[in-house]
Amino acid sequence: MNALNLDTGWQKFSAGLALALSCMPAESYLVLNAADGRYARFYVSTPVLWCEIVHNEQLAEAWRMPEPVEVVLQQRSWAAPIDGQSVNWHRLVAWPVPFRAYEVVADDVSVALCHGVRVGDPTELSIDAWIQNSNEEFNISALTDVIEG
């Protein structure tokens, strides 16, 4: 497990992601994209937060997640793809969500992006965030501060 520790940049990213997730209102989306189809995405559909991390079947072989990272995800309540539901690793978090649950999801996503699909640094990610059928925004500043350096 020590090989899956996060450096300071990824720890800051994880903290920022947890805060951003906690600010997501109903019917909102947050997508973190890296080059070559590597991503994590989140959707709030009351009463759940739907979380996804790209699965190996969606990636070129050079970016596929090593088995030890997949084992960690499984041990931490992430499900592998299910026909008709998701083509990705996914996890549901039921509302109300204690802040610690956001931190756990953010840590898992950080490990998957860093050690799994090998995003070198959080600054390599781009962010898309929106609320369905709305021009309103939600607060993702803690996350953008880390990604934009």
Side-chain angles (χ1 to χ4, degrees), residues 114-126:
C114 176
H115 297 292
V117 297
R118 294 175 301 291
V119 176
D121 189 83
T123 59
E124 295 177 27
L125 297 166
S126 65

PDB file of all heavy atoms in Angstrom, residues 114-126:
ATOM      1  N   CYS A 114      -3.534   9.166 -10.221  1.00  0.00           N
ATOM      2  CA  CYS A 114      -2.070   9.237 -10.109  1.00  0.00           C
ATOM      3  C   CYS A 114      -1.411   7.888 -10.383  1.00  0.00           C
ATOM      4  O   CYS A 114      -0.569   7.765 -11.266  1.00  0.00           O
ATOM      5  CB  CYS A 114      -1.710   9.745  -8.720  1.00  0.00           C
ATOM      6  SG  CYS A 114       0.060   9.790  -8.387  1.00  0.00           S
ATOM      7  N   HIS A 115      -1.775   6.882  -9.615  1.00  0.00           N
ATOM      8  CA  HIS A 115      -1.113   5.578  -9.700  1.00  0.00           C
ATOM      9  C   HIS A 115      -1.794   4.628 -10.683  1.00  0.00           C
ATOM     10  O   HIS A 115      -1.150   3.711 -11.185  1.00  0.00           O
ATOM     11  CB  HIS A 115      -1.068   4.915  -8.324  1.00  0.00           C
ATOM     12  CG  HIS A 115      -0.263   5.687  -7.335  1.00  0.00           C
ATOM     13  ND1 HIS A 115       1.100   5.833  -7.428  1.00  0.00           N
ATOM     14  CD2 HIS A 115      -0.636   6.361  -6.219  1.00  0.00           C
ATOM     15  CE1 HIS A 115       1.539   6.560  -6.420  1.00  0.00           C
ATOM     16  NE2 HIS A 115       0.508   6.901  -5.672  1.00  0.00           N
ATOM     17  N   GLY A 116      -3.075   4.852 -10.920  1.00  0.00           N
ATOM     18  CA  GLY A 116      -3.812   3.952 -11.807  1.00  0.00           C
ATOM     19  C   GLY A 116      -3.606   4.295 -13.271  1.00  0.00           C
ATOM     20  O   GLY A 116      -2.951   3.551 -14.000  1.00  0.00           O
ATOM     21  N   VAL A 117      -4.145   5.424 -13.690  1.00  0.00           N
ATOM     22  CA  VAL A 117      -4.058   5.802 -15.106  1.00  0.00           C
ATOM     23  C   VAL A 117      -2.919   6.782 -15.360  1.00  0.00           C
ATOM     24  O   VAL A 117      -2.796   7.348 -16.435  1.00  0.00           O
ATOM     25  CB  VAL A 117      -5.412   6.338 -15.634  1.00  0.00           C
ATOM     26  CG1 VAL A 117      -6.472   5.248 -15.569  1.00  0.00           C
ATOM     27  CG2 VAL A 117      -5.857   7.587 -14.897  1.00  0.00           C
ATOM     28  N   ARG A 118      -2.076   6.962 -14.352  1.00  0.00           N
ATOM     29  CA  ARG A 118      -0.801   7.661 -14.439  1.00  0.00           C
ATOM     30  C   ARG A 118      -0.871   9.098 -14.984  1.00  0.00           C
ATOM     31  O   ARG A 118      -0.122   9.475 -15.877  1.00  0.00           O
ATOM     32  CB  ARG A 118       0.206   6.816 -15.210  1.00  0.00           C
ATOM     33  CG  ARG A 118       0.552   5.548 -14.446  1.00  0.00           C
ATOM     34  CD  ARG A 118       1.447   4.603 -15.187  1.00  0.00           C
ATOM     35  NE  ARG A 118       0.994   4.094 -16.475  1.00  0.00           N
ATOM     36  CZ  ARG A 118      -0.020   3.246 -16.636  1.00  0.00           C
ATOM     37  NH1 ARG A 118      -0.709   2.803 -15.613  1.00  0.00           N
ATOM     38  NH2 ARG A 118      -0.344   2.806 -17.839  1.00  0.00           N
ATOM     39  N   VAL A 119      -1.769   9.881 -14.403  1.00  0.00           N
ATOM     40  CA  VAL A 119      -1.732  11.327 -14.643  1.00  0.00           C
ATOM     41  C   VAL A 119      -0.568  11.841 -13.799  1.00  0.00           C
ATOM     42  O   VAL A 119      -0.543  11.627 -12.590  1.00  0.00           O
ATOM     43  CB  VAL A 119      -3.058  12.001 -14.228  1.00  0.00           C
ATOM     44  CG1 VAL A 119      -2.971  13.509 -14.386  1.00  0.00           C
ATOM     45  CG2 VAL A 119      -4.223  11.438 -15.047  1.00  0.00           C
ATOM     46  N   GLY A 120       0.399  12.469 -14.426  1.00  0.00           N
ATOM     47  CA  GLY A 120       1.625  12.834 -13.738  1.00  0.00           C
ATOM     48  C   GLY A 120       1.455  13.859 -12.633  1.00  0.00           C
ATOM     49  O   GLY A 120       2.115  13.790 -11.605  1.00  0.00           O
ATOM     50  N   ASP A 121       0.554  14.805 -12.830  1.00  0.00           N
ATOM     51  CA  ASP A 121       0.379  15.894 -11.877  1.00  0.00           C
ATOM     52  C   ASP A 121      -1.043  16.435 -12.017  1.00  0.00           C
ATOM     53  O   ASP A 121      -1.587  16.432 -13.135  1.00  0.00           O
ATOM     54  CB  ASP A 121       1.398  17.008 -12.183  1.00  0.00           C
ATOM     55  CG  ASP A 121       1.434  18.062 -11.115  1.00  0.00           C
ATOM     56  OD1 ASP A 121       2.121  17.840 -10.098  1.00  0.00           O
ATOM     57  OD2 ASP A 121       0.767  19.099 -11.281  1.00  0.00           O
ATOM     58  N   PRO A 122      -1.660  16.896 -10.933  1.00  0.00           N
ATOM     59  CA  PRO A 122      -3.017  17.434 -11.034  1.00  0.00           C
ATOM     60  C   PRO A 122      -3.148  18.572 -12.038  1.00  0.00           C
ATOM     61  O   PRO A 122      -4.226  18.779 -12.607  1.00  0.00           O
ATOM     62  CB  PRO A 122      -3.321  17.918  -9.609  1.00  0.00           C
ATOM     63  CG  PRO A 122      -2.450  17.098  -8.732  1.00  0.00           C
ATOM     64  CD  PRO A 122      -1.199  16.857  -9.534  1.00  0.00           C
ATOM     65  N   THR A 123      -2.058  19.307 -12.298  1.00  0.00           N
ATOM     66  CA  THR A 123      -2.123  20.413 -13.260  1.00  0.00           C
ATOM     67  C   THR A 123      -2.358  19.930 -14.693  1.00  0.00           C
ATOM     68  O   THR A 123      -2.664  20.738 -15.567  1.00  0.00           O
ATOM     69  CB  THR A 123      -0.844  21.275 -13.199  1.00  0.00           C
ATOM     70  OG1 THR A 123       0.290  20.443 -13.477  1.00  0.00           O
ATOM     71  CG2 THR A 123      -0.684  21.928 -11.834  1.00  0.00           C
ATOM     72  N   GLU A 124      -2.248  18.621 -14.929  1.00  0.00           N
ATOM     73  CA  GLU A 124      -2.530  18.053 -16.255  1.00  0.00           C
ATOM     74  C   GLU A 124      -4.029  17.861 -16.492  1.00  0.00           C
ATOM     75  O   GLU A 124      -4.435  17.505 -17.597  1.00  0.00           O
ATOM     76  CB  GLU A 124      -1.827  16.705 -16.410  1.00  0.00           C
ATOM     77  CG  GLU A 124      -0.319  16.797 -16.399  1.00  0.00           C
ATOM     78  CD  GLU A 124       0.347  15.431 -16.484  1.00  0.00           C
ATOM     79  OE1 GLU A 124      -0.250  14.491 -17.045  1.00  0.00           O
ATOM     80  OE2 GLU A 124       1.480  15.309 -15.974  1.00  0.00           O
ATOM     81  N   LEU A 125      -4.828  18.071 -15.458  1.00  0.00           N
ATOM     82  CA  LEU A 125      -6.272  17.861 -15.562  1.00  0.00           C
ATOM     83  C   LEU A 125      -6.982  19.137 -15.993  1.00  0.00           C
ATOM     84  O   LEU A 125      -6.560  20.239 -15.664  1.00  0.00           O
ATOM     85  CB  LEU A 125      -6.842  17.413 -14.208  1.00  0.00           C
ATOM     86  CG  LEU A 125      -6.340  16.078 -13.679  1.00  0.00           C
ATOM     87  CD1 LEU A 125      -6.714  15.923 -12.208  1.00  0.00           C
ATOM     88  CD2 LEU A 125      -6.912  14.935 -14.510  1.00  0.00           C
ATOM     89  N   SER A 126      -8.069  18.957 -16.728  1.00  0.00           N
ATOM     90  CA  SER A 126      -8.983  20.063 -16.991  1.00  0.00           C
ATOM     91  C   SER A 126     -10.291  19.755 -16.280  1.00  0.00           C
ATOM     92  O   SER A 126     -10.584  18.595 -15.977  1.00  0.00           O
ATOM     93  CB  SER A 126      -9.211  20.241 -18.496  1.00  0.00           C
ATOM     94  OG  SER A 126      -9.874  19.113 -19.031  1.00  0.00           O
TER      95      SER A 126
END
